[in-house]
Amino acid sequence: EKFFSSGLPDVKGDMQPFSQWKGNVLLVNFWATWCAPCQEEIPEFIQAQEAYRDKGLVLIGIAVDQSDRVASFSRDFGINYPVVVGDLDAFALAEAMGNPQGSLPFTVILNRSGEMVYSHLGRIKIDEIEKIIKLGVTEEELVRVKAQVIAGHVYQRDSIFSQAMQIGRFES
């Protein structure tokens, strides 16, 4: 809820309310230009945005950095998704989303209802991104997974993927 009631400026200084992206599957990535693991995962985010844009995926990069550095970096890397810039506000938002250490990179995925369904601290790889995104764009599967969590089932993330694959939820 805090996420959608807030916003941060883009690299041009224009405030971008996060509520504008509600109703989409959101992959929110906290990063910085000086962060080596962040630099490694950005090309894969660009690839994921291209592949899943038409299915309602929106990647949002929240840079914890200086605006001019982020603008230059975004141009050089060809970032094809919205990037906003923050400092203490970005760290407070990351903490509210499950990253009290303020470590980077930090990625969360929100389903179309705005519920956080996944978080990952550290570099994330494209295969894991795709599994989660495919799960995230299949609302019926998310409801089933959430019901398992509410019922107190303890499971590993990979078991969810194998269950979903067994019922044919992932496409190649």
Side-chain angles (χ1 to χ4, degrees), residues 25 112 133-143 169:
V25 175
R112 294 179 196 276
I133 290 169
K134 287 177 180 180
L135 189 61
V137 297
T138 309
E139 291 303 312
E140 180 182 311
E141 186 62 21
L142 277 175
V143 169
R169 290 289 178 209

Side-chain angles (χ1 to χ4, degrees), residues 77-138:
F77 270 71
I79 292 179
N80 60 351
Y81 52 86
V83 174
V84 296
V85 183
D87 47 33
L88 295 179
D89 291 341
F91 279 123
L93 187 57
E95 182 176 357
M97 298 180 89
N99 182 7
Q101 305 91 343
S103 299
L104 297 175
F106 176 63
T107 304
V108 298
I109 296 180
L110 306 172
N111 67 14
R112 294 179 196 276
S113 301
E115 299 166 310
M116 188 167 63
V117 296
Y118 180 80
S119 67
H120 182 88
L121 184 58
R123 190 206 189 292
I124 189 169
K125 305 237 182 211
I126 188 68
D127 58 339
E128 190 168 1
I129 293 168
E130 287 182 336
K131 288 176 183 178
I132 297 294
I133 290 169
K134 287 177 180 180
L135 189 61
V137 297
T138 309

